[in-house]
Structure formats: C-alpha cells, structure tokens
C-alpha cells in the first residue's frame, strides 16, 4: 500500500521520519503534489529547525462562525506554535446576505455575475472585509498572515516562517504577497527552470511561472479538476506586506470598487485575481487582460503586475483536502448534499 503524505507529516510531528521510499511510493507521492513537501522536511532537518517553536506573527483566520473545521485547525495551529484569532467569514448561502450590510472594501454593490457561485463570492467578500479591517487598524506591522481554516501547517512551520520573513525583508525586489501553500510549488518540482532552487527556501515570482502553469494545464493536474483551476495558487495561507494593503486601498479609493466588482470572476479565481493574477498580468497567459482603468489611471503599464506576488520553492502549508481528508468547504459540502 502506498504511503500517504499525511502519514509522513504525522510521523514528522512525532519526531520520526521516513528515510527511504519504494519507487512506486515516490511516484505516488509526486502524483499527489508531495515532492516539494518532502524536500521542505529535509531542508528543515538540515537547518536544525525545531518543531515546537512559536511564531511571533499573529495569524488572522477566515472561518465561518461555529464551523466544525475549527477544532482540527486549532489542534494543528497549537502544535505549530501559531498565534491566531478568528475573523468570521461571510456565509454565501445565507438568505439574509446583502453586501450593503457588510463592511466590504471597495465594493459598492454585489456584482451580478457572482450570483452563480455564492461560495466563491463569499470567500472573496470575506477576504476583502478582512483586508479592510487590517488596513483600518493602522498597519502597525510590516507583515500580516492571513489564513483559512482548512490550512494545515507543516512541521517546523514557525521557524521556517521566520526564515521566510527574514529573506523577504532583505530581498532586492519588493515583495507584496507570498503564498505559503504547496498548491503551486509542486509545479516547480517538474521544471528545469528552477532545478537549482528546489532544495533551498527561495522565492519564485509569478511572472516567472508562465511555462510551468502552461505545462500543468497539459498534464495530469486537470484530470480531477477543471483546467481553469491550474491558475489557482491557493488562499489558505498568505503573507501580505503593509505595502500590499496600501495598494489595495489605493484601488478602492481610485475606482470606488468598480474595478474589483468587474474584475473578480465568480469562478475558482476569487481573490486570486487581485493578489495572484496581478490585476495586470497572469502567468497563465490566457487568464485576464489588464483592465483599461488601471492603465488609464496610471496604476500599471500593460503587462506589468500590480502586485509583486510570489510562491515558495519549499511550501510551509497544505490544505486538508490535499492531505486526502474529506474536508469539504461549505460550498462543496452543499454541492455534495444536493447530489444525494
């Protein structure tokens, strides 16, 4: 029987490790996007990281009030040394949902094209509301950790996070957004372009991922998921710089929410359209055109990203779905129940 990634991570938390794999096990783990997670664990061991270190950065966790997800999240977060507080998510399936009742950043009305996918709509509204709250708090910190309650922290998370922050602060290029999940980093493990970076903690800017995303759409990633989802980089664990928040605020002030409402599709892109597809350039070549308002307003030149977004060569988190658990989102749970 093939070993699974969740079994490896559980053993690692207990201080045990797998030193060798059978060829079929390696193949299986690569299929489930585990290659970079295994490299991450090896890197952390070589660095001498400790599993029980605590992070000084406090996370904000988007979660529906009373969600059963919170129990599993709290156990994992406590073990990973993550300090956090909950931010109550918007319930997209509430009959009483009205955007005018929400303190939503930059949105004056509910975009009509969102109605067909209320789960993703609610996710986007939740993120925008949280970003506004963070900005309105006065931006007292340099970095903000935004999480969703299906996030699973890998062992050594806190020490690895400290290293990421240290590298980001000293990086020659300004960084606005850092995606911590393994949703995109598995593409790197198949790429010759990044072979020299795959054994160390490094940043890859989304502008440099064009070939990898295009390749992923042709390979097995689309077997179980819509090809459109090869453009999704995951919002379950993101680091924002204070400068990123200022950029989002500038958009809301300049366009009164119109760009946000028009640009954010109802599909699986959600908030990624802003944070990871740049409001100007998508690494997948065929995702979105630059909204003309941004060019006319002097925010970007055509083809230039508004956000300097990147992923990690060694991911610090994954999602419980990708660990093989039936850990459905509220959207997916509703869809499954309707089919029964």
């Amino acid at each position: 029987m093939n070993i699974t990634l969740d079994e490896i991570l559980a053993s690692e938390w207990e201080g045990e490790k797998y030193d060798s794999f059978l060829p079929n096990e390696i193949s299986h783990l690569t299929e489930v996007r585990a290659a970079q997670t295994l490299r991450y664990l090896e890197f952390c061991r070589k660095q001498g990281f400790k599993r029980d270190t605590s992070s000084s950065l406090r996370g904000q966790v988007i979660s529906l009030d009373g969600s059963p997800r919170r129990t599993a999240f709290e156990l994992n977060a406590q073990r990973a040394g993550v300090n956090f507080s909950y931010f109550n998510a918007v319930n997209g399936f509430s009959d009483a949902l009205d955007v005018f009742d929400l303190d939503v950043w930059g949105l004056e009305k509910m975009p009509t094209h969102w109605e067909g996918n209320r789960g993703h709509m609610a996710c986007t509204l939740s993120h925008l509301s949280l970003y506004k709250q963070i900005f309105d708090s006065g931006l007292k910190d340099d970095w903000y950790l935004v999480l969703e309650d299906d996030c699973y922290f890998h062992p050594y998370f806190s020490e690895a996070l400290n290293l990421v922050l240290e590298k980001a602060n000293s990086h020659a290029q300004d960084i606005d957004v850092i995606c911590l999940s393994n949703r995109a980093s598995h593409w790197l493990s198949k790429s010759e372009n990044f072979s020299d970076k795959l054994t160390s903690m490094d940043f890859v800017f989304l502008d440099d991922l064009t070939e990898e995303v295009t390749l992923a759409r042709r390979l097995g990633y689309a077997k179980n998921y819509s090809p459109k989802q090869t453009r999704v980089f995951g919002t379950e664990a993101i680091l924002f710089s204070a400068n990123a928040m200022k950029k989002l605020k500038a958009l809301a002030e300049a366009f009164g929410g119109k760009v946000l409402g028009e640009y954010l599709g109802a599909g699986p892109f959600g908030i990624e359209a802003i944070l990871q597809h740049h409001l100007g350039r998508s690494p997948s070549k065929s995702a979105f055109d630059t909204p003309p308002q941004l060019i006319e307003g002097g925010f970007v030149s055509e083809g230039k990203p508004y956000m300097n977004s990147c992923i990690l060569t060694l991911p610090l988190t994954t999602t419980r779905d990708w660990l093989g658990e039936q850990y459905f989102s509220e959207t997916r749970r509703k869809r499954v129940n309707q089919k029964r």
Side-chain angles (χ1 to χ4, degrees):
M1 182 177 179
N2 285 327
I3 194 167
T4 59
L5 181 58
D6 59 318
E7 290 173 323
I8 293 173
L9 291 170
S11 296
E12 191 76 37
W13 276 120
E14 299 302 327
E16 303 171 359
K17 63 183 181 182
Y18 289 90
D19 293 319
S20 61
F21 299 93
L22 298 174
N24 66 315
E25 291 175 335
I26 295 175
S27 173
H28 169 72
L29 289 169
T30 302
E31 285 291 320
V32 296
R33 309 190 306 179
Q36 287 306 86
T37 299
L38 297 178
R39 289 192 177 103
Y40 162 84
L41 294 175
E42 184 179 4
F43 172 82
C44 291
R45 293 185 206 125
K46 288 182 178 178
Q47 294 293 312
F49 287 169
K50 294 180 174 57
R51 291 181 299 278
D52 57 355
T53 303
S54 294
S55 171
S56 59
L57 195 64
R58 187 175 185 84
Q60 297 268 15
V61 185
I62 296 173
S63 175
L64 284 172
D65 187 21
S67 172
R69 289 179 168 199
R70 293 190 176 189
T71 300
F73 177 87
E74 289 165 10
L75 290 173
N76 181 232
Q78 181 180 12
R79 177 172 254 181
V82 178
N83 297 308
F84 68 91
S85 57
Y86 285 117
F87 179 84
N88 287 336
V90 174
N91 185 350
F93 297 104
S94 169
D95 294 333
L97 177 62
D98 188 333
V99 71
F100 295 105
D101 295 331
L102 299 171
D103 189 16
V104 179
W105 200 354
L107 284 175
E108 296 173 334
K109 62 180 181 179
M110 191 80 77
T112 56
H113 62 277
W114 283 10
E115 187 61 34
N117 196 326
R118 295 177 69 84
H120 287 110
M121 171 198 72
C123 177
T124 296
L125 292 175
S126 300
H127 274 267
L128 290 176
S129 300
L130 174 55
Y131 304 158
K132 182 178 187 300
Q133 176 179 287
I134 290 173
F135 187 90
D136 290 348
S137 69
L139 295 180
K140 303 178 181 66
D141 301 312
D142 294 329
W143 291 95
Y144 296 87
L145 177 61
V146 173
L147 305 162
E148 294 174 356
D149 60 7
D150 63 339
C151 175
Y152 181 91
F153 304 102
H154 289 165
Y156 314 104
F157 172 82
S158 290
E159 282 218 61
L161 179 64
N162 291 338
L163 178 60
V164 169
L165 292 172
E166 179 184 330
K167 287 195 169 191
N169 289 331
S170 61
H171 201 277
Q173 182 175 347
D174 288 338
I175 297 176
D176 295 317
V177 177
I178 305 173
C179 304
L180 303 180
S181 175
N182 71 345
R183 287 221 209 171
S185 62
H186 69 290
W187 298 340
L188 303 179
S189 64
K190 298 178 180 294
S191 172
E192 292 296 326
N193 296 333
F194 304 102
S195 57
D196 60 329
K197 296 184 177 183
L198 296 183
T199 57
S200 63
M201 191 73 72
D202 212 333
F203 303 107
V204 174
F205 286 84
L206 299 197
D207 276 346
D208 299 326
L209 268 177
T210 299
E211 292 183 19
E212 283 64 38
V213 177
T214 302
L215 176 63
R217 297 170 71 184
R218 294 200 301 264
L219 295 176
Y221 182 67
K223 288 179 181 177
N224 300 317
Y225 292 84
S226 163
K228 291 182 178 179
Q229 287 188 284
T230 59
R231 295 195 293 256
V232 176
F233 289 84
T235 54
E236 61 271 6
I238 312 175
L239 278 172
F240 293 90
S241 70
N243 193 50
M245 295 296 176
K246 293 176 183 177
K247 287 184 176 182
L248 290 173
K249 179 65 171 178
L251 279 179
E253 289 179 341
F255 300 108
K258 292 180 181 178
V259 167
L260 301 186
E262 293 171 4
Y263 192 70
L264 290 178
F269 314 110
I271 199 64
E272 288 98 327
I274 294 179
L275 306 178
Q276 301 163 357
H277 289 283
H278 308 304
L279 277 180
R281 178 177 174 183
S282 166
S284 63
K285 293 185 177 178
S286 59
F288 300 104
D289 295 323
T290 303
Q293 300 99 315
L294 293 186
I295 299 176
E296 295 163 4
F299 283 82
V300 297
S301 57
E302 191 165 5
K304 179 182 178 182
Y306 185 58
M307 290 284 183
N308 294 323
S309 305
C310 61
I311 64 171
L312 295 175
T313 52
L314 300 177
L316 276 58
T317 70
T318 189
T319 63
R320 293 187 176 273
D321 277 349
W322 288 110
L323 287 179
E325 299 182 25
Q326 298 299 305
Y327 204 72
F328 293 139
S329 66
E330 300 304 315
T331 307
R332 248 184 280 178
R333 183 177 293 111
K334 185 177 182 68
R335 191 182 305 139
V336 169
N337 290 338
Q338 286 174 342
K339 291 180 179 179
R340 289 174 177 171

